[in-house]
Amino acid sequence: MNKTLILYSYYENGKNAIENFRFFLRRALKRNEKYSFYVNINGNTVIDLDFYLKKYSNLKVIYSKGICAWDGWKNIIDMVDISKYEHYIFMKDIVLGPLNTKCTGGVFDKKGLDWIEGITENIKKNQEVIISYYGAPILDKLYILPYVPVKFFCVSKNVLNDMKKYDVFS
């Protein structure tokens, strides 16, 4: 069975972050042993997580003092046996999603997929990274390369191992 680790990094810095996190808790979580949901909370939260922790045994919450999403993701990676997973979905609190958990009449429904499978089914050899968006900065003359705003991305085990090897999370 291919397992997926969903890593959500949260910092309560305003109304949008709170609303996005609540949306994630309501829409993203699935009771399925193929999925492990880890939320890293940098600081504190006003959201009562007891209901979700009781309902979803595959949800874990970590509290830390990180200052960015990468710190949160690193905390999760350092606490979890990542070798048990084939796919890794990274999300942060500036993302409102997942939006298409059930696409009535859409691609997910036709294939019988949930939102996680709808993403991870596209991870394969020679296509091991999916990013939320790719573009050039407004001041593109200042930069040689386009940038990736890492709000959401999914990678294979090979890519995650390379990210660790090259200290991307440090």
Side-chain angles (χ1 to χ4, degrees):
M1 164 183 17
N2 286 339
K3 293 184 75 174
T4 301
L5 176 63
I6 297 92
L7 305 91
Y8 191 93
S9 187
Y10 179 72
Y11 175 68
E12 198 159 288
N13 62 351
K15 182 180 171 187
N16 285 345
I18 295 169
E19 289 176 8
N20 292 348
F21 187 32
R22 283 188 174 134
F23 190 89
F24 173 82
L25 292 168
R26 284 192 317 267
R27 303 268 311 225
L29 301 178
K30 302 273 180 213
R31 280 187 248 161
N32 188 323
E33 65 184 31
K34 294 189 315 186
Y35 308 136
S36 295
F37 296 88
Y38 276 78
V39 175
N40 184 91
I41 298 175
N42 289 320
N44 297 307
T45 182
V46 297
I47 298 172
D48 182 5
L49 297 170
D50 288 341
F51 168 79
Y52 299 101
L53 290 166
K54 288 176 185 167
K55 185 174 180 180
Y56 299 96
S57 61
N58 58 341
L59 170 65
K60 306 292 182 235
V61 177
I62 302 165
Y63 290 88
S64 68
K65 303 254 184 257
I67 58 171
C68 67
W70 289 94
D71 288 343
W73 296 329
K74 182 180 183 330
N75 288 336
I76 295 168
I77 287 168
D78 288 347
M79 295 186 81
V80 174
D81 179 5
I82 61 170
S83 68
K84 295 190 313 189
Y85 302 94
E86 295 299 316
H87 304 105
Y88 310 85
I89 298 176
F90 295 80
M91 296 177 75
K92 60 181 168 178
D93 57 31
I94 61 173
V95 173
L96 180 64
L99 296 175
N100 295 324
T101 56
K102 292 181 182 170
C103 300
T104 306
V107 174
F108 290 177
D109 277 353
K110 289 177 184 171
K111 292 184 176 182
L113 304 176
D114 61 34
W115 75 271
I116 299 165
E117 293 166 322
I119 295 165
T120 59
E121 77 161 353
N122 294 297
I123 296 285
K124 47 193 143 219
K125 189 170 175 75
N126 298 322
Q127 182 177 317
E128 297 186 64
V129 178
I130 297 173
I131 58 174
S132 59
Y133 122 23
Y134 174 84
I138 295 170
L139 303 173
D140 61 346
K141 293 182 182 178
L142 297 176
Y143 302 98
I144 294 171
L145 299 172
Y147 73 104
V148 178
V150 295
K151 297 174 185 174
F152 162 90
F153 62 103
C154 179
V155 299
S156 69
K157 182 182 284 191
N158 292 335
V159 172
L160 184 66
N161 287 335
D162 282 347
M163 291 172 78
K164 285 186 58 113
K165 177 181 173 183
Y166 293 108
D167 293 325
V168 171
F169 295 99
S170 295

